[in-house]
Amino acid sequence: MLATLAVLAFAALPASSSAATPGSEDPARGVQLDGLVADPSCPDGLRVEVPRAPDACTHGPDPAPAGEDVRERRSVPELRAEEEEAQLDAAPELADCIGDGASGDRVELIYARASDRPDRYSQTVSLIRSVAGDMADRMKQSAAESGGSRTLRYVTEGCNVVVRNVVLSTTGDDTLGRTASELAAKGYDRSDRKYLTFVDANVYCGIAYAPGNLARVDERCWDGHAGLHELMHNLSAVDPAAPNTSGGYHCVDESDLMCYSDSPYYPSMRQVCPTSHEALLDCSGDDYFNTAPRAGNFLSGNPGLNTADSPFVADRDGQLPVFLPPAPSGYRGPRYTVRADNADDDLCVYAIRPTTGARVRLFCVGYLGVRSADVTGALLSVAGGADTVGLRLIATDRGATRAYGFRVTRTGVATPVLDERDGIAGQQSSSAPLGSIDPSTGYPVVYDRELTLALTEQSAAPAPPPTPTPAPSGAGSGAQPDPAAATTPPASGQSGPGASGAGSPGAGESTICRSTRTALASERAALARVGRSLASQTRLLRALKKRLKRGGLTKGEKRRYAAAAKRLGRRRQEKRDRTSRVKRLEKQVASRCK
């Protein structure tokens, strides 16, 4: 939506935005400069005037699509029509159940209105939840492009996204600064929250602190695209140091949810990805979102700018994607670095809690991914004061060739603690046999090694791998449970329980069979969902088409008709693709499960 915008003629902001240069504002498209002042200390030169709160920087208001007038208030029936469309685009579930739904860093949704506006919370809360589902679905699809999985860590109750109902003063919806000030006064200013606020007003399309903890989307732009766009600004996208930066917290390599030619430089755009990528994040995977950046990638060298590793998002099992806290400032013991690379599949690094045997994810890498990280702080956190802690390295097979590489080094010691690799990604497969299904990745284990590392100088040498014994279950990283806590670490170079080998020729075949059946069941369920969505989209399109023939559609309905027609085409293609995958998996089951 935002990337196809026509270029706005922004003039440089004067010292006081109340005297903005003529032509610098476009109220119809939500470009309101009231409450913003010029400030060279901000990357984009814009600072928010926030009464009773510290000033902060913003990328400025994102304009609505050409032809859209944010000043036109939508009726409840129009909003319900938007909800139906959002539900078609979103995943069946509106939220992923993650922990207790409240602990840790979370995205919190707010419905806000001025006290002189009617309360439409009950009529719009379902739409806002559908938008939340659409946002999470877009992030999942974006993560899959780099071989990973990510979803948003919403505040939830009973797996339903919580949407707060907040009433502002009569002027609380006038500017971003006033909204932020009044929300902060009501307690919505926690450091472990990103507040995505759906304001029932007609001032902006969207605007956010960049980075910061508050984003605002006004009712004319309540959809997954605008919501995720503004939230990504809160998470630091797109940093001005990124290789494809626009200079104003956006990017220039289209098509991309965060890219368009913006102020203050209005750069030329480059078409790198297909237009179908407009709904997804980071076209090139090198500016702000990548679950497995390769060596030399901008995000590999600047992990703090990789929003895929933000604590406000989670991996498929609800755990934080990266757990790498720094070591305490006074720590003088051994320091360890782990490098996982040459990944043709999924490589994961875990610490083992001494008290429970539970494994805590430190980080994972996907296809051709590489990450080298100082894990000392994470090991100390998991050890809880113990002198030693376990480090577990696992590689799982996603299909085709199998390859892995793990290197563990200790600062000041020339000889690596561990340096093992097998196979060449995409070319030569590892000879290690397949093992049981790993609960975290859902794929068979091809390599599983556990080390015991010393955290004091007195016992500096790492102990040999422990004798395989069942590990009791326990909590995973932070407050998130790890379903893989109870596992049996095998000997060096061997796969996990149930591994196929010379002594158990049928075990590997059974594992492959079960894995293929699981994939087939998942693909059939996805095909069924696409079928239901296709049927609903067809009914909606037919109803709009009848009204179109009678000449009874409004401008907004005509735009929705065109959008519905495009979605129908995408659903049909998706159905064909998934049908093909189901047939291929059925053949594999027939051959592997004899």
Side-chain angles (χ1 to χ4, degrees), residues 65-70 72-75 77-79 81-82 85 220 223 540-541 544 547-548 551-565 567:
E68 189 78 43
D69 191 337
V70 303
E72 296 179 359
R73 188 170 174 80
R74 291 182 292 186
S75 64
E78 285 182 301
L79 291 172
E82 293 289 339
E85 292 183 20
R220 196 74 200 184
D223 59 40
L540 174 63
L541 195 64
L544 289 173
R547 293 187 59 188
L548 181 63
L553 291 184
T554 65
K555 289 183 178 180
E557 288 173 329
K558 288 179 180 178
R559 285 193 294 271
R560 284 199 293 277
Y561 175 81
R567 274 195 296 271

Side-chain angles (χ1 to χ4, degrees), residues 3 7 243-247 250-254 259-262 264-272:
V7 175
N244 295 295
T245 179
S246 67
H250 296 100
C251 44
V252 298
D253 49 336
E254 290 280 31
C259 292
Y260 72 92
S261 185
D262 59 359
Y265 307 113
Y266 304 109
S268 299
M269 308 301 291
R270 295 181 290 105
Q271 194 67 42
V272 177

Side-chain angles (χ1 to χ4, degrees), residues 456-461:
T456 63
E457 293 294 349
Q458 288 73 19
S459 53

Side-chain angles (χ1 to χ4, degrees), residues 509-552:
E509 180 180 349
S510 176
T511 298
I512 295 175
C513 173
R514 290 195 301 271
S515 176
T516 309
R517 287 190 187 279
T518 300
L520 176 59
S522 176
E523 201 62 46
R524 281 174 172 168
L527 179 60
R529 290 196 299 268
V530 172
R532 291 193 295 270
S533 175
L534 184 60
S536 298
Q537 194 71 29
T538 301
R539 289 194 297 271
L540 174 63
L541 195 64
R542 286 174 178 171
L544 289 173
K545 191 173 184 179
K546 288 181 181 179
R547 293 187 59 188
L548 181 63
K549 289 181 178 179
R550 296 196 300 267

Side-chain angles (χ1 to χ4, degrees), residues 181-503:
S181 175
E182 294 198 13
L183 288 176
K186 295 177 182 293
Y188 296 106
D189 60 351
R190 292 171 51 171
S191 61
D192 61 349
R193 293 289 186 267
K194 300 293 184 185
Y195 297 102
L196 179 57
T197 308
F198 295 83
V199 181
D200 202 348
N202 298 86
V203 179
Y204 303 108
C205 177
I207 186 170
Y209 290 98
N213 73 337
L214 178 68
R216 169 175 168 169
V217 181
D218 285 11
E219 70 96 8
R220 196 74 200 184
C221 291
W222 286 357
D223 59 40
H225 194 121
L228 186 56
H229 182 104
E230 301 306 333
L231 180 62
M232 294 305 293
H233 282 311
N234 274 179
L235 298 179
S236 78
V238 178
D239 192 88
N244 295 295
T245 179
S246 67
Y249 275 101
H250 296 100
C251 44
V252 298
D253 49 336
E254 290 280 31
S255 287
D256 187 314
L257 185 141
M258 298 300 295
C259 292
Y260 72 92
S261 185
D262 59 359
S263 67
Y265 307 113
Y266 304 109
S268 299
M269 308 301 291
R270 295 181 290 105
Q271 194 67 42
V272 177
C273 294
T275 56
S276 58
H277 195 274
E278 177 62 25
L280 305 181
L281 302 170
D282 209 343
C283 163
S284 302
D286 61 353
D287 288 314
Y288 63 93
F289 187 91
N290 191 323
T291 64
R294 304 182 188 183
N297 185 299
F298 169 76
L299 296 177
S300 178
N302 297 273
L305 299 179
N306 189 357
T307 57
D309 288 346
S310 167
F312 292 91
V313 304
D315 211 322
R316 63 166 59 87
D317 59 1
Q319 292 197 50
L320 297 178
V322 173
F323 178 61
L324 295 172
S329 58
Y331 177 71
R332 296 294 181 269
R335 290 180 176 271
Y336 298 96
T337 297
V338 177
R339 177 183 173 90
D341 68 280
N342 194 32
D344 197 56
D345 302 287
D346 280 348
L347 307 188
C348 288
V349 179
Y350 301 91
I352 306 299
R353 292 192 186 279
T355 54
T356 65
R359 69 187 198 185
V360 178
R361 180 206 311 276
L362 304 189
F363 65 88
C364 296
V365 297
Y367 178 67
L368 291 181
V370 58
R371 181 186 288 272
S372 181
D374 183 339
V375 299
T376 309
L379 295 176
L380 288 167
S381 176
V382 172
D387 291 339
T388 61
V389 67
L391 180 74
R392 191 167 178 183
L393 312 172
I394 293 179
T396 59
D397 176 39
R398 294 173 65 100
T401 57
R402 304 193 295 273
Y404 62 84
F406 288 106
R407 181 180 175 88
V408 182
T409 57
R410 176 177 164 174
T411 302
V413 178
T415 304
V417 177
L418 175 79
D419 190 2
E420 293 186 357
R421 60 189 61 248
D422 193 10
I424 301 174
Q427 301 178 39
Q428 177 185 334
S429 182
S430 165
S431 58
L434 292 176
S436 60
I437 299 296
D438 182 79
S440 290
T441 67
Y443 297 101
V445 173
V446 66
Y447 174 90
D448 190 345
R449 177 72 180 269
E450 184 173 333
L451 305 172
T452 299
L453 302 180
L455 297 176
T456 63
E457 293 294 349
Q458 288 73 19
S459 53
T467 303
T469 55
S473 60
S477 173
Q480 311 305 327
D482 186 347
T487 56
T488 304
S492 172
Q494 299 299 314
S495 298
S500 63

